[in-house]
Amino acid sequence: MGAIEQSRGLTRRSGLALGLAAMACTPALAAPRRYTLKPVVVAPGVWTLYGAQEAITAENGGAIANVTLIETRDGCVLIDAGPSYRYGTALEALARDLTGKPVVRVYLTHFHADHSLGATAFPDSAVWVGPGLRRDLARFGNDLASGMYRVAGDWMRGTGVPKPVNEARDGVEQVGERRFRLLNLSGHTNEDLCLFEETSGLLFPGDLVFLDRAATTPDADLPLWRKALATVADIPCRLLVPGHGPAEAGRRGIDQTLAWLDATESGIAAGFEAGLDSTEIMERPLPPWTNDIAVARYEFARSVMHLLPGIETARLPVLTNA
C-alpha cells in the first residue's frame, strides 16, 4: 500500500472511529412520553385514576386530576378526561382493556386544563358539557392549551381544544343501565358540573371538592363555592369522588374544602389589614392542620394573587373629587 493509500485508509478508519464515538455519546431520541394509568376499583364496574397530588409539571404531564371510568352496557362513560390528547387516547385504550367496550360519553366537570383537554382524543359528539363550559372553552380554550404546552411540553403533542356539541343540563341522563343526575353549579369556576350516579350511589362534584390537597382558586367565586358545597352536602351519596384526592364516604372532603377556603380568605384579609404587601402575605403562617395538605403553601401563594385584588377593591376607601 502506497503512502497516499495508507493516508486514505487512516482517514477512513479515523472517520469511522469518530462516527462510532459520536453515536455512543449522543443520547437516543426520546421515546414518546406515555402516561402510566393505574385504575382503582371504587365500585363494581367503576374505576378511578387518581391524579398526582402536585402542581402541574413537565414530569407529571399535567396528570393531577382524578378521572373516573364507568362501565355501562352501552359502553364506557368518563367523568373528566385528563390534561392532553395523549392522556385521552390512553383512557380509550384502558376502557377497552378493562371492559372490551369503547368510551361512548365524556362528561367534563369544568374547563380547567387538567380535566378537560384530554377530551380532544374523542369525537366532539361524545363530549357533554354545561352551556357555560361550552362558552368558556370557546373563549379560553386556546389560552389553556398554550399554557399547558409551555409547562408540560411534549406530553401535550396533538392536543387541541374540545368543541363539544352536547349540553349537559340539570336533570337525569340515562346511559345503559346507569342514571346520572346532573347539577350545574358554580364557585370553583363559572360553571361546575356535579354528577350523581344513582345506581351506584357515587357522587362526582369535580373540583368543588378537594381532599388532602389545597384547592385552587384562579377562577373562584368564594360565596358561590360555599353555596355549591352546601348543595353537594345534601346529596345522600355512598361514596364521594373529589376532583383531587381520595374517594371517601362521608363529608370530610366537603368540610376540608370549606376550611381551606375560609383559612385562605381570612389569612389574605388579615395580611391586607396589617398593611402587608402580597409577598409578605404569601409568607404568613398557615393553620397547623394544613401541614398535611398537599401543595398548601404553593396554592396559598397563588390564591394571594387571585383573591387579594378583590379584597383590596372591597376594603380600600373610595376617593372622590368632592
Side-chain angles (χ1 to χ4, degrees):
M1 184 180 294
I4 294 177
E5 291 174 327
Q6 288 178 350
S7 174
R8 288 175 178 168
L10 288 170
T11 300
R12 285 194 292 270
R13 285 195 296 271
S14 300
L16 178 60
L18 288 171
L20 292 172
M23 290 175 64
C25 295
T26 302
L29 291 176
R33 292 180 179 269
R34 297 181 184 277
Y35 292 97
T36 301
L37 304 187
K38 298 178 180 179
V40 176
V41 176
V42 295
V46 183
W47 299 263
T48 292
L49 296 99
Y50 289 117
Q53 296 279 60
E54 303 167 354
I56 294 172
T57 67
E59 286 69 40
N60 60 37
I64 66 169
N66 292 345
V67 175
T68 297
L69 189 155
I70 302 172
E71 182 180 12
T72 82
R73 60 172 171 258
D74 293 342
C76 295
V77 174
L78 291 180
I79 309 296
D80 285 327
S84 67
Y85 173 85
R86 189 168 293 170
Y87 194 97
T89 59
L91 286 172
E92 173 66 26
L94 178 65
R96 292 181 183 275
D97 286 345
L98 291 173
T99 71
K101 302 170 187 175
V103 172
V104 295
R105 185 171 298 203
V106 181
Y107 287 111
L108 298 182
T109 60
H110 62 291
F111 77 93
H112 285 163
D114 52 323
H115 295 258
S116 65
L117 295 185
T120 53
F122 302 96
D124 294 337
S125 59
V127 183
W128 292 66
V129 301
L133 176 49
R134 179 188 286 178
R135 292 190 296 270
D136 286 340
L137 285 170
R139 183 177 178 185
F140 304 115
N142 287 331
D143 291 338
L144 287 173
S146 295
M148 285 294 293
Y149 271 93
R150 286 194 297 272
V151 176
D154 189 61
W155 290 102
M156 302 303 295
R157 188 180 302 181
T159 304
V161 178
K163 296 179 174 60
V165 298
N166 297 302
E167 284 196 358
R169 295 187 175 274
D170 288 358
V172 175
E173 294 282 351
Q174 188 96 18
V175 185
E177 72 280 23
R178 306 278 187 176
R179 285 173 53 87
F180 295 90
R181 183 168 298 279
L182 279 54
L183 297 89
N184 283 306
L185 304 173
S186 62
H188 175 64
T189 66
N190 178 55
E191 181 178 83
D192 298 286
L193 180 64
C194 175
L195 300 102
F196 178 53
E197 205 287 284
E198 295 180 343
T199 55
S200 62
L202 299 183
L203 179 61
F204 303 92
D207 275 10
L208 289 170
V209 178
F210 287 68
L211 182 56
D212 298 337
R213 188 214 192 270
T216 62
T217 60
D219 303 287
D221 181 315
L222 299 191
L224 286 178
W225 196 339
R226 293 183 179 102
K227 181 178 179 181
L229 286 170
T231 299
V232 170
D234 284 340
I235 300 172
C237 66
R238 186 183 69 79
L239 194 72
L240 186 151
V241 184
H244 297 260
E248 282 190 4
R251 54 173 293 155
R252 188 170 75 95
I254 296 170
D255 291 339
Q256 192 183 90
T257 302
L258 283 168
W260 174 259
L261 297 182
D262 291 345
T264 298
E265 186 176 38
S266 62
I268 297 171
F272 169 77
E273 294 295 344
L276 304 181
D277 63 26
S278 59
T279 302
E280 292 169 326
I281 296 174
M282 291 177 189
E283 296 172 351
R284 283 176 53 84
L286 295 172
W289 65 267
T290 65
N291 293 338
D292 296 326
I293 304 300
V295 295
R297 177 57 60 183
Y298 169 80
E299 290 297 354
F300 179 74
R302 293 181 71 212
S303 291
V304 172
M305 304 307 295
H306 304 151
L307 303 177
L308 181 59
I311 291 173
E312 291 174 334
T313 299
R315 301 194 181 198
L316 285 173
V318 177
L319 300 179
T320 60
N321 295 322

